[in-house]
Amino acid sequence: MMAALANRTPGPQPAVASEPRALLERFRLKSEQASSTVDIVASDAEVPAAIAKYLAAMKLPSSAVAWASLAALDWAGAGLKLETRGARDADLVGITGCFCAVAETGTLMMTSSPDTPAAVSLLPETHIAVVHAARIVPYMEDAWNLARAELGSLPRAVNFISGPSRTGDIEQTIVLGATAPTACIW
Amino acid sequence: VVHWAENAAEACRMVVDIAKQNGVTKVAKSKSMVSEEVGLNDALLEAAGIEPVETDLGEYILQINDAEPPSHIVAPAMHKTAEDVADLFHAKHGTPRKTDPAALTREAREILRAAVSLRRHGRLRRQLPGRRDRLDAMVTNEGNGRMCTTLPRLHVAITGIEKVVPTLEDVSTLLRLLPRSATGQAITNYVSLLTGPKRLEETDGPQQFHIVLVDNGRAKLLGRRDARDAALHPLRRLHEPLPGVPDRRRPRLRLGLSRPDGLGADAVYVGLENAIDLPNAATMCNQCGVVCPVKIPLPDLLRKLREKQRPCTVMPATPPLPAR
């Protein structure tokens, strides 16, 4: 039993190329297959303008609830109004970062903490996540190793998000937006 | 807080007690086969007057249709057409009748979101509690599970003891197998791992976190060769929806099973005498055996159960089908 607990060897994994460019491409492909949209920008400074463009194209409001870690960017310069707090039911757009991202499945890993409230990626119908390309790892197992190295122990909640909410419960017709966000862009 | 429930009645009593102690009157539920197994909804309603609300769309459809039992473990309302759901929503919600699945989903979404934010007590299934890291994992596509664990004041997780796995690496492996085998996805849209209640200065998360581990006959099956493989595996219930497995939904409804669950090998749970048709309802084409990601020899198990039926002359006798 103790041997089983000490064994950290991953099980079989699908092949995922580990060069940074390949990781980014796979992450983008898998995200888009899960009905998310992906916009790649050169630096943090370009993020507010890219988000403003997306919100305008989707006819969404130019205000959003966001994680405090994103407050330093020049949102006002892009014409956006940001509130850094926990999300409420009426919020339409939530902007977050992420702990890391998994290329295998195009998945965001969110770790809970006072500064990274889970509700911001959950309640608003549109969730926008800012992902740093350097934080894309090949497999979920790599994400666990990163969490062990950087956080020590796991936080209260780890939420993996792979695209918007969906259901096939009525005649197996896939419908997006069953309970949680209906659009993700990152 | 971790609770150990010897049987179904004890599991229900534990959840009802937690709810009562905290003055809970309404419960938001994520889909849970273990809660079906132990009859939790009835226990909450009848014993304690607590109203459970299913937040999975399929389960919700069945719940508002006078608590109809699920026909499929992944897609519980699979036997319903969009027309059926249109009539049901029209009758129960009092809204104009609509048949478009997207519009119907939207209607349910509004109701369920409002329900979860009002509920004071969330409860849901855990797929794979990791032992070493002391946490629970759950999977959903709709995000209803995240709603249930993020917003309500209390969170009670209920699961079978066979789902406890040693490490996060095992969780990752099973997360690769489970959605692929169940819905053909590489991962479900939402996977949540939870380790405890809300921490200091966090704005969301429950104030209390309870885990109810349900034995209900599982430990006893460990000693039985014929039953062990099928009964005590985290992916046991996923045999049925595998893409290669023949459509089993109508046979199971006809058989009127007490458990809305698995293939014929589940007779080991309810006893052969209570499920005499069950081992005979499979075509034995071995499609399930071929594609099984965890190599459960289901046809062999069914054959053994059939052999067992012979000497004790427990033979199938299907009652006439109810009119649909």
Side-chain angles (χ1 to χ4, degrees):
Chain A
M1 180 49 109
M2 294 320 288
L5 293 182
N7 183 7
R8 294 288 192 191
T9 316
Q13 298 167 323
V16 174
S18 57
E19 309 84 73
R21 188 73 215 170
L23 285 179
L24 179 61
E25 268 317 302
R26 178 164 178 126
F27 177 77
R28 180 221 282 261
L29 176 75
K30 291 291 164 185
S31 299
E32 288 175 350
Q33 284 174 353
S35 311
S36 299
T37 60
V38 180
D39 200 355
I40 297 173
V41 295
S43 69
D44 272 357
E46 294 175 31
V47 166
I51 291 178
K53 205 173 122 197
Y54 174 81
L55 293 178
M58 302 302 287
K59 299 195 168 51
L60 286 163
S62 54
S63 59
V65 55
W67 284 0
S69 58
L70 296 166
L73 298 177
D74 182 16
W75 299 97
L80 298 179
K81 188 170 164 291
L82 228 67
E83 288 181 51
T84 52
R85 51 169 170 80
R88 294 191 279 259
D89 210 30
D91 291 322
L92 289 177
V93 180
I95 304 177
T96 70
C98 68
F99 177 73
C100 69
V102 179
E104 179 191 344
T105 45
T107 299
L108 301 173
M109 178 176 177
M110 321 291 279
T111 48
S112 70
S113 75
D115 296 330
T116 57
V120 180
S121 63
L122 177 67
L123 290 179
E125 284 205 12
T126 299
H127 170 213
I128 300 174
V130 180
V131 181
H132 288 116
R135 299 289 290 181
I136 303 177
V137 296
Y139 301 110
M140 192 183 279
E141 285 87 342
D142 301 309
W144 299 136
N145 288 332
L146 209 55
R148 286 180 194 120
E150 294 181 4
L151 306 175
S153 64
L154 286 183
R156 174 185 69 78
V158 176
N159 288 301
F160 290 98
I161 306 173
S162 313
S165 164
R166 61 169 59 212
T167 184
D169 272 341
I170 300 178
E171 288 195 343
Q172 297 173 64
T173 308
I174 296 298
V175 176
L176 299 180
T179 348
T182 56
C184 294
I185 137 174
W186 50 68
Chain B
V1 187
V2 179
H3 311 261
W4 178 279
E6 203 67 49
N7 53 44
E10 201 171 282
C12 289
R13 205 187 57 234
M14 283 168 174
V15 179
V16 168
D17 284 351
I18 294 167
K20 276 185 171 168
Q21 281 159 18
N22 290 281
V24 168
T25 55
K26 283 171 177 175
V27 172
K29 275 188 70 199
S30 167
K31 193 166 82 174
S32 158
M33 285 300 121
V34 174
S35 80
E36 290 283 341
E37 173 186 330
V38 301
L40 183 62
N41 281 8
D42 287 347
L44 284 169
L45 256 179
E46 282 161 23
I50 298 164
E51 182 196 342
V53 176
E54 296 285 354
T55 60
D56 173 80
L57 176 58
E59 292 281 357
Y60 173 73
I61 290 169
L62 298 179
Q63 186 183 31
I64 62 170
N65 194 29
D66 301 325
E68 187 182 344
S71 64
H72 193 284
I73 58 170
V74 173
M78 199 182 187
H79 57 293
K80 290 255 179 289
T81 64
E83 296 286 335
D84 292 341
V85 179
D87 290 339
L88 184 65
F89 279 16
H90 176 57
K92 300 282 175 177
H93 298 163
T95 48
R97 190 176 184 281
K98 46 183 91 65
T99 53
D100 172 34
L104 289 167
T105 302
R106 187 88 211 170
E107 184 171 315
R109 171 194 163 95
E110 298 305 324
I111 288 167
L112 292 176
R113 274 188 70 128
V116 177
S117 39
L118 288 175
R119 298 307 174 234
R120 302 170 65 198
H121 175 204
R123 229 220 75 257
L124 58 135
R125 164 180 60 170
R126 291 294 180 245
Q127 283 287 357
L128 313 159
R131 189 165 183 278
R132 170 163 177 159
D133 302 283
R134 294 187 293 280
L135 54 84
D136 282 327
M138 59 168 301
V139 295
T140 74
N141 274 324
E142 297 177 6
N144 56 320
R146 271 195 73 191
M147 290 272 183
C148 287
T149 54
T150 306
L151 302 179
R153 186 164 61 86
L154 270 141
H155 172 201
V156 180
I158 181 167
T159 194
I161 55 168
E162 81 281 13
K163 297 223 179 134
V164 180
V165 299
T167 65
L168 284 170
E169 279 67 19
D170 296 314
V171 172
S172 297
T173 300
L174 290 169
L175 282 175
R176 282 192 187 94
L177 300 178
L178 186 147
R180 275 181 174 82
S181 299
T183 57
Q185 291 170 285
I187 190 167
T188 57
N189 293 54
Y190 299 95
V191 177
S192 304
L193 293 96
L194 301 136
T195 60
K198 177 162 149 167
R199 295 186 185 172
L200 213 60
E201 291 176 22
E202 271 195 297
T203 54
D204 39 33
Q207 289 161 19
Q208 289 179 34
F209 183 34
H210 298 267
I211 302 174
V212 178
L213 287 172
V214 181
D215 182 332
N216 204 23
R218 287 164 173 79
K220 226 164 45 195
L221 290 175
L222 259 176
R224 280 180 52 183
R225 269 193 164 288
D226 60 337
R228 186 180 56 193
D229 290 350
L232 291 171
H233 197 285
L235 289 184
R236 181 180 63 83
R237 294 211 175 83
L238 287 171
H239 276 284
E240 175 159 20
L242 288 173
V245 179
D247 183 344
R248 300 265 317 183
R249 55 197 152 143
R250 301 214 183 275
R252 187 153 18 75
L253 285 180
R254 284 173 186 170
L255 292 168
L257 290 185
S258 53
R259 296 162 52 89
D261 199 4
L263 286 173
D266 269 3
V268 298
Y269 274 104
V270 297
L272 264 184
E273 64 284 1
N274 298 321
I276 49 181
D277 286 324
L278 207 45
N280 301 288
T283 61
M284 304 297 260
C285 63
N286 197 31
Q287 285 295 299
C288 56
V290 170
V291 292
C292 182
V294 291
K295 301 190 170 60
I296 299 177
L298 206 57
D300 292 346
L301 294 167
L302 289 173
R303 207 168 287 117
K304 282 192 188 114
L305 288 171
R306 289 182 184 186
E307 283 166 11
K308 256 194 200 149
Q309 285 184 327
R310 294 283 300 179
C312 54
T313 62
V314 186
M315 295 299 283
T318 311
L321 300 178
R324 221 184 106 77

